[in-house]
Amino acid sequence: MYDLIVVGGGPAGLAAARAAAEEGLQKILIAERDGEPGGILNQCIHNGFGLHYFKEELTGPEYALRFVRMIQKTQVEMKLDTMVLDVRPDLTVSMIGRAEGYQVHEARSVVLAMGCRERTRGALAIPGARPAGILTAGTAQRYVNVEGYMVGRRVVILGSGDIGLIMARRMTLEGAKVLACVEIMPYSGGLARNIAQCLHDNDIPLYLSHTLVDIRGRDRVEGVTAAKVDDLKNPVPGTEFTLDCDTILLSVGLIPENELTRKAGISMDERTRGAYVFDNMETTTPGIFACGNVVHVHDLVDYVTLEGERAGRAAAAYVNGGCGSADARTIALRADGDVSYTVPQYLRLSGEDAGSVPVFFRVRRNIVEGTVVVRDGDEKVAAFTRKHMSPGEMERIALPLRLLGRVRAGELSITVEKVAS
Amino acid sequence: MKEIIREMICIVCPNGCRLTVDDSGEIGGYQCERGLGYARDETVNPTRVLTSTVRVIGGVHRRCPVKTDRPVPKGLLMKAMERVNAVELTAPVECGQIILGNLLGTESNLVTTREIGRAKEIISEAQAP
Amino acid sequence: MDRDVAIIGCGIVGAAVAYELAHCELDVEVIEKENDVAMGTSRANSAILHAGYDPAPGTLMAKLNVEGLELAKKLCGELNIPFRECGSMVIAFTEEEVEELKRLYERGVQNGVSGMRLLSGREALKAEPNLNGETRAALLALSAAIVSPWEYALSLAENAVANGVKIRFDSEVTGIDRLEGGFAVHTASGTVSARCVVNAAGLNAERIHNCVAAPSFSTLPDRGEYFLLDKSEGHCVEHVIFQCPTKVGKGTLVSPTVHGNLIVGPNNETPRDASDTATTRQGLDDVAHMAKKSVPSLNIRESIRNFAGVRAATDVDDFIIRHVDDTPGFIDLAGVKSPGLTAAPAIAKMTVALLRECGLNPVEKALWTTVPRPRRFSEMDADEKRRLLARDSSYGRVICRCETVTEGEIRDALRSVIPPRSVDGVKRRCGTGMGRCQGGFCAPRVVDLLARHYGVSPVRIPQDRSGMYLLTGETKTGEALECTI
């Protein structure tokens, strides 16, 4: 019997396991499907990780290694090359591994930290031929950075997610020509700094409000046709132009990987495509917590780590019997207007709460000089001003818990209002 | 009336502040001192941290990620890549090893950013087609 | 003569003929243009075993559909090929369509189809609650089934090879000469001489026919586009849902697949050429629109893949299965459009009869080895998994996360009768990359396993057909400078 089984040894899982160990849990297991811990960080060889958490700029592998070293100092057990097949609501976890075969373990708590996967061509129904040379940016990143193979010579990036932008720079440095980055939305899906240092630095044009309307080539990509799109995202006839490329990298979004969560019967939020969670990252199934990109797609690993730590601490509290007091009151957070979702979706208050609870959300469009307004019915209970908000960047507010004690309705709404200029 | 002659996005941190430089050289739009410093450097001598990989023989992976331990002038990045591409390490590799000192005279060192263990079964260097 | 029979093309028809002939004391070789089995129409279609009410009575299509259905089900059972007798429904929205259902029912009776019933709209909606509420009636055909078409063709070919049939891949036919008592079939990998030639070249059958005989039919390639939806939508319907057939085809269908997904399509359009399997924005939009007429709540957002298949239709409105005039020993199996997948084993039996007329005297072999499709790890229960892992730890390393495909299964495929030679070849056999991430995670690992197995660089491993290279070279091709640390 484990006190805690963590599914996934990426940044979220490592942080959860470490935090739970610090809280005194003795028997903790991390099940990691890859041969090494660290998850996707191992292929993110660029720098920019850890500015919030470590106050210094690290590369992905360095960030992962710090947590691996911290874990190695604890009693946490790590099973590598081990894939979890099932998590049941009674907290039994079945897994297979090369070393130990088929195993079923019982746990007192479980943290889900499976991360996310990339959206593919099929999810977007991008028309055209089906030659080789169309792959997601993350797959290309693995080939180039870890395996050491080039995936193309003349590249078009579809979508402007961060991985795509990062790969535009990587491919350029490794000798490929990146012809364009084509984004269907009127704004970029990635961080502004990545537009600057990956595209601008390398004179790669970014075509906003554009998409690919055709892909040509029989064996290998031979070219694409791009076109401008109107407000409804339909291509505008007459705006087509061709790009003579042999490779298309897709960076069109990430989807939390929740097959285990669904199989376990845990309630899912259709907007985040992750589980509904309380402020302590507990799902609707008692004892099962979730954190990181499996809950909602983050932009910065630092926040993944913080969320993992919250989940790990809460799992420890759950095991030690100090979680979810019976008289706790539940308040739902409702995303309204330009706020597309919130995580957590529910707050549980025990009446004596001090401090604040971080609430993450994303906005639906670019907003300059906006105010995030939290309302209890018609009454404004909190407001946070932001100079700039964009859909590509995760927003975060800290809701003071003492304010919440006064909430009358069963829910709080969160909206964004434009500051009158 | 001062005129904005240059706009740039600060890359120091993920905030991505929109910085401006006017015709008198005055910098605006930054939220911290580091952003101000970035804008100054960017107008005089833009620099970047270079991240890439180098070859590894006998490791669990065929490539080891590397970075420059301080930013190098932007104009030297492709030149620096020529040096990086010629490096060949033998596993095991530690994280933080200096593999090229004073890269192109920039006082920046090329350092490894990951441990690469020795492969149990030797992966032979694949042959070019 | 090298061979008694040369079969040109290893799609479902060529594979079914090879399987049938493998039972006889004959020397048979299959000549395939691509690097694997079922690389054309056979792998990109609706994956349906049709009941047989659709073809006009008296046609070869009608006869071979009904015969083929029974044979196909028997074969799938024997060879452990994924198939499911889920039944089909044709739904009607208007009075005219209700009349059409009655005509289809009558046709079915004439064609010898059993297990048909006309349902009221209410009955149809009770059986399929997600159907359009305006459904007025439905024709239920219990005998219709779904199948994994490429695994079906592959299994037939594997069993043929395991029983002595030769197969040569990457061997496009460049010409055919008539010889005394046979033919010389020239291919990209050499010449095969054979007493008889079976033309099962699908979309290329016209060209093959014209190599030795006067033109007698022309190919009218007809493209259909599809969506494949995530397994979360796999139970949206339990039957194959057709709309009333039109002149050009059976209309857009919504159907579960044997792998647990939902398939939605096709439309009908004329491609640039027979190899043009591109999808178009308009075509996909049309398919989604049409399918929503059957199932309004259809969640197209859960699409994981789009593809198009080209049907090998001709200007003859029936299968063309016959001796070629003035060319004794040359048999055309052309124009095999829908219900070709269903009819294939019956076409094969008919082909054996035609070969007999050519003077071959096939005698049944005394010994037959059955090679069933291996059970997949993901299909096993916990005890089976435990036992398998105890025996071989390579089944504990998951290569494809979405479909839980293990390294052991891929190793087994690489040691099989017809081993895969591409990433998609592994996919067709083991299911890697079939899931939501479409190979994003597993492709690099599959490339690695293939490269090690064949002892080549990963840059030599194709995505699918030979020449479809995934990787364009290595990084770090600068001259090595050994670093001493």
Side-chain angles (χ1 to χ4, degrees):
Chain A
M1 170 75 91
Y2 285 99
D3 288 333
L4 168 63
I5 293 177
V6 179
V7 185
L14 292 171
R18 175 172 161 268
E22 277 186 351
E23 294 291 315
L25 285 196
Q26 294 298 312
K27 287 211 59 169
I28 301 174
L29 170 67
I30 300 176
E32 165 55 43
R33 54 195 165 191
D34 217 334
E36 299 155 296
I40 213 71
L41 285 173
N42 287 324
Q43 68 183 48
C44 300
I45 64 165
H46 54 283
N47 64 332
F49 300 89
L51 275 162
H52 290 256
Y53 194 84
F54 291 113
K55 308 290 176 220
E56 61 181 301
E57 200 165 18
L58 302 172
T59 65
E62 290 172 313
Y63 190 98
L65 188 60
R66 290 212 176 177
F67 278 90
V68 172
R69 292 241 166 98
M70 288 189 258
I71 287 284
Q72 282 165 349
K73 290 193 188 112
T74 67
Q75 298 292 309
V76 172
E77 177 187 350
M78 181 123 52
K79 290 188 196 289
L80 298 173
D81 272 324
T82 299
M83 171 107 177
V84 171
L85 299 179
D86 260 312
V87 176
R88 282 190 282 276
D90 66 355
L91 308 187
T92 55
V93 181
S94 57
M95 54 186 85
I96 55 169
R98 206 168 190 160
E100 294 175 72
Y102 187 93
Q103 313 145 64
V104 179
H105 297 291
E106 292 178 359
R108 292 193 171 87
S109 65
V110 171
V111 169
L112 303 174
M114 293 86 76
C116 59
R117 62 166 179 269
E118 297 176 281
R119 286 182 84 198
T120 64
R121 179 184 182 184
L124 298 175
I126 304 165
R130 314 194 61 81
I134 306 167
L135 64 172
T136 60
T139 304
Q141 191 176 42
R142 162 117 196 160
Y143 278 124
V144 175
N145 290 352
V146 180
E147 318 262 337
Y149 294 101
M150 285 299 275
V151 295
R153 298 183 182 93
R154 294 174 64 81
V155 183
V156 167
I157 316 253
L158 178 64
S160 59
D162 286 312
I163 314 171
L165 301 175
I166 292 291
M167 282 311 290
R169 178 175 62 180
R170 284 291 298 130
M171 293 298 287
T172 306
L173 280 173
E174 298 297 335
K177 172 78 184 159
V178 180
L179 304 172
C181 177
V182 176
E183 168 63 57
I184 195 164
M185 302 303 282
Y187 49 80
S188 157
L191 295 169
R193 72 193 296 243
N194 286 336
I195 299 287
Q197 62 184 350
C198 298
L199 298 185
H200 296 175
D201 271 9
N202 297 302
D203 298 321
I204 299 167
L206 169 62
Y207 294 98
L208 296 175
S209 298
H210 277 72
T211 193
L212 298 186
V213 292
D214 194 23
I215 297 171
R216 287 183 306 282
R218 180 167 155 77
D219 287 342
R220 180 83 193 185
V221 174
E222 286 164 17
V224 297
T225 305
K228 199 169 169 41
V229 295
D230 61 22
D231 292 345
L232 298 170
K233 295 183 203 159
N234 292 315
V236 179
T239 62
E240 297 89 354
F241 58 96
T242 58
L243 292 161
D244 168 26
C245 61
D246 64 9
T247 306
I248 303 164
L249 297 189
L250 303 176
S251 184
V252 289
L254 300 166
I255 303 171
E257 199 153 84
N258 273 302
E259 283 62 50
L260 290 175
T261 322
R262 282 197 192 89
K263 269 203 285 181
I266 293 169
S267 303
M268 302 286 297
D269 185 337
E270 279 311 308
R271 300 160 304 173
T272 56
R273 300 180 76 151
Y276 283 110
V277 288
F278 292 96
D279 47 295
N280 66 348
M281 305 314 292
E282 190 168 13
T283 66
T284 52
T285 301
I288 301 185
F289 300 79
C291 56
N293 284 344
V294 81
V295 179
H296 60 135
V297 175
H298 293 61
D299 53 354
L300 298 182
V301 70
D302 304 63
Y303 293 132
V304 168
T305 297
L306 292 171
E307 204 171 273
E309 290 177 347
R310 279 225 314 289
R313 280 195 299 270
Y318 177 85
V319 171
N320 294 327
C323 170
S325 60
D327 55 343
R329 203 179 134 212
T330 299
I331 296 175
L333 294 179
R334 196 181 72 217
D336 270 343
D338 282 326
V339 175
S340 57
Y341 71 82
T342 69
V343 166
Q345 293 87 347
Y346 299 106
L347 307 175
R348 231 172 351 202
L349 303 172
S350 58
E352 51 196 278
D353 305 282
S356 65
V357 55
V359 175
F360 293 100
F361 61 93
R362 281 185 193 252
V363 292
R364 293 184 200 277
R365 58 186 182 88
N366 273 318
I367 295 162
V368 182
E369 304 286 341
T371 304
V372 184
V373 180
V374 183
R375 279 197 180 82
D376 172 16
D378 292 336
E379 189 194 342
K380 200 186 271 190
V381 293
F384 307 81
T385 59
R386 293 283 183 276
K387 272 179 96 79
H388 185 263
M389 287 180 272
S390 78
E393 303 186 8
M394 206 170 74
E395 298 297 329
R396 181 176 181 270
I397 54 173
L399 275 183
L401 288 168
R402 60 182 164 73
L403 282 178
L404 301 176
R406 299 201 294 265
V407 173
R408 289 161 304 182
E411 67 173 21
L412 286 172
S413 82
I414 299 187
T415 52
V416 174
E417 291 172 8
K418 186 115 177 72
V419 173
S421 51
Chain B
M1 181 74 188
K2 284 174 186 167
E3 200 182 328
I4 302 290
I5 56 165
R6 191 162 169 203
E7 289 181 317
M8 63 184 101
I9 296 164
C10 181
I11 65 168
V12 170
C13 84
N15 285 346
C17 292
R18 277 83 176 151
L19 308 177
T20 56
V21 185
D22 67 24
D23 51 7
S24 72
E26 196 174 318
I27 292 160
Y30 56 92
Q31 291 183 52
C32 73
E33 287 303 308
R34 293 196 308 155
L36 178 61
Y38 171 77
R40 282 208 191 102
D41 288 348
E42 196 66 6
T43 47
V44 186
N45 175 29
T47 59
R48 298 287 182 268
V49 169
L50 174 65
T51 58
S52 183
T53 62
V54 299
R55 270 177 282 185
V56 182
I57 305 294
V60 292
H61 295 297
R62 300 167 65 251
R63 297 289 181 269
C64 180
V66 294
K67 70 173 182 184
T68 57
D69 60 2
R70 62 178 74 178
V72 298
K74 215 165 105 174
L76 286 177
L77 287 175
M78 290 316 277
K79 188 93 191 132
M81 278 301 291
E82 285 175 23
R83 302 291 310 278
V84 172
N85 288 346
V87 171
E88 192 164 276
L89 303 179
T90 304
V93 178
E94 288 301 312
C95 181
Q97 284 181 323
I98 295 176
I99 49 176
L100 290 176
N102 191 17
L103 187 63
L104 302 174
T106 60
E107 294 180 16
S108 173
N109 302 310
L110 190 71
V111 300
T112 56
T113 57
R114 190 181 179 182
E115 299 174 340
I116 303 284
R118 208 180 271 138
K120 286 191 202 105
E121 46 175 323
I122 298 299
I123 303 169
S124 60
E125 269 298 282
Q127 315 208 323
Chain C
M1 291 293 141
D2 301 336
R3 309 286 177 216
D4 294 315
V5 183
I7 302 167
I8 301 173
C10 201
I12 185 64
V13 175
V17 173
Y19 177 84
E20 205 56 43
L21 293 180
H23 287 77
C24 306
E25 294 289 354
L26 289 174
D27 204 342
V28 180
E29 181 157 351
V30 186
I31 298 164
E32 169 55 47
K33 177 161 75 85
E34 305 294 353
N35 62 356
D36 204 351
V37 175
M39 293 292 278
T41 310
S42 301
R43 68 163 173 188
N45 55 70
S46 306
I48 312 284
L49 297 177
H50 292 281
Y53 49 75
D54 196 50
T59 59
L60 275 175
M61 290 197 293
K63 176 175 181 289
L64 298 175
N65 181 339
V66 176
E67 289 176 16
L69 177 63
E70 288 316 306
L71 292 168
K73 286 180 182 174
K74 194 163 157 277
L75 282 170
C76 288
E78 282 170 16
L79 301 175
N80 190 33
I81 296 156
F83 87 110
R84 178 147 53 97
E85 294 186 82
C86 58
S88 69
M89 272 191 206
V90 186
I91 55 176
F93 297 110
T94 63
E95 260 329 296
E96 296 85 75
E97 288 181 348
V98 174
E99 290 306 309
E100 176 65 19
L101 291 190
K102 290 177 187 161
R103 277 194 293 276
L104 286 175
Y105 182 90
E106 287 308 318
R107 262 194 198 186
V109 170
Q110 285 185 55
N111 290 348
V113 179
S114 58
M116 288 184 301
R117 253 183 74 201
L118 282 165
L119 304 182
S120 68
R122 186 178 296 173
E123 286 172 316
L125 279 158
K126 199 174 167 216
E128 288 287 359
N130 288 327
L131 286 188
N132 189 335
E134 288 169 31
T135 301
R136 301 183 56 164
L139 171 62
L140 174 69
L142 291 170
S143 61
I146 52 177
V147 68
S148 169
W150 58 87
E151 285 172 281
Y152 181 23
L154 182 71
S155 187
L156 293 176
E158 279 184 340
N159 278 277
V161 171
N163 289 282
V165 170
K166 307 283 182 302
I167 185 161
R168 61 167 71 205
F169 288 111
D170 285 322
S171 302
E172 183 162 18
V173 171
T174 52
I176 302 173
D177 291 326
R178 291 194 206 204
L179 304 175
E180 183 68 38
F183 300 87
V185 182
H186 307 295
T187 82
S189 69
T191 297
V192 180
S193 63
R195 291 170 66 193
C196 297
V197 171
V198 174
N199 174 14
L203 286 156
N204 296 291
E206 179 190 349
R207 187 176 68 79
I208 299 298
H209 170 101
N210 293 351
C211 284
V212 282
S216 70
F217 61 91
S218 30
T219 308
L220 302 173
D222 175 23
R223 184 173 63 193
E225 299 179 40
Y226 294 87
F227 290 89
L228 191 70
L229 306 196
D230 190 277
K231 287 184 176 172
S232 63
E233 310 304 305
H235 289 285
C236 171
V237 292
E238 299 300 333
H239 300 78
V240 181
I241 306 298
F242 294 101
Q243 291 170 8
C244 270
T246 61
K247 280 196 194 75
V248 285
K250 296 186 178 74
T252 299
L253 63 86
V254 178
S255 169
T257 74
V258 288
H259 300 107
N261 301 84
L262 195 76
I263 189 169
V264 178
N267 58 346
N268 295 81
E269 58 197 354
T270 305
R272 280 194 297 263
D273 58 64
S275 68
D276 176 14
T277 54
T279 52
T280 62
R281 193 184 169 87
Q282 186 64 49
L284 290 172
D285 283 352
D286 290 349
V287 167
H289 182 76
M290 288 291 289
K292 279 185 180 164
K293 193 180 165 199
S294 298
V295 182
S297 61
L298 191 72
N299 195 359
I300 285 287
R301 250 188 82 196
E302 291 297 319
S303 163
I304 60 168
R305 188 176 181 83
N306 317 117
F307 63 91
V310 181
R311 309 167 183 97
T314 66
D315 55 354
V316 179
D317 194 18
D318 200 357
F319 296 156
I320 300 168
I321 297 170
R322 62 187 180 207
H323 298 288
V324 174
D325 294 343
D326 306 329
T327 314
F330 193 97
I331 295 168
D332 276 336
L333 308 181
V336 183
K337 54 184 179 176
S338 178
L341 184 66
T342 320
I347 294 173
K349 290 212 183 284
M350 190 172 162
T351 307
V352 176
L354 290 171
L355 285 169
R356 214 171 251 129
E357 290 169 18
C358 295
L360 283 188
N361 186 22
V363 180
E364 193 157 338
K365 272 180 199 156
L367 207 64
W368 175 261
T369 312
T370 298
V371 185
R373 167 188 176 272
R375 252 168 94 67
R376 287 190 183 163
F377 185 80
S378 59
E379 297 163 356
M380 297 177 184
D381 64 27
D383 275 340
E384 281 178 279
K385 285 177 181 165
R386 192 174 282 126
R387 281 198 300 274
L388 184 65
L389 275 162
R391 205 177 73 221
D392 183 344
S393 66
S394 69
Y395 295 95
R397 187 179 169 223
V398 174
I399 299 293
C400 168
R401 293 169 179 178
C402 302
E403 301 292 307
T404 323
V405 182
T406 66
E407 181 174 341
E409 294 168 89
I410 297 173
R411 289 241 178 99
D412 290 345
L414 287 167
R415 289 192 213 108
S416 70
V417 181
I418 303 177
R421 303 201 291 163
S422 67
V423 173
D424 285 358
V426 174
K427 172 182 181 174
R428 285 187 288 275
R429 286 159 181 80
C430 306
T432 44
M434 290 262 298
R436 310 173 164 94
C437 90
Q438 287 289 299
F441 173 78
C442 64
R445 287 149 177 94
V446 172
V447 166
D448 183 57
L449 288 171
L450 280 163
R452 283 163 193 256
H453 178 80
Y454 288 109
V456 299
S457 161
V459 301
R460 311 284 302 177
I461 302 299
Q463 170 75 49
D464 191 10
R465 294 185 302 269
S466 298
M468 285 182 72
Y469 293 119
L470 279 162
L471 306 171
T472 56
E474 291 202 38
T475 64
K476 317 293 151 190
T477 46
E479 205 170 305
L481 171 96
E482 178 75 32
C483 268
T484 44
I485 311 166

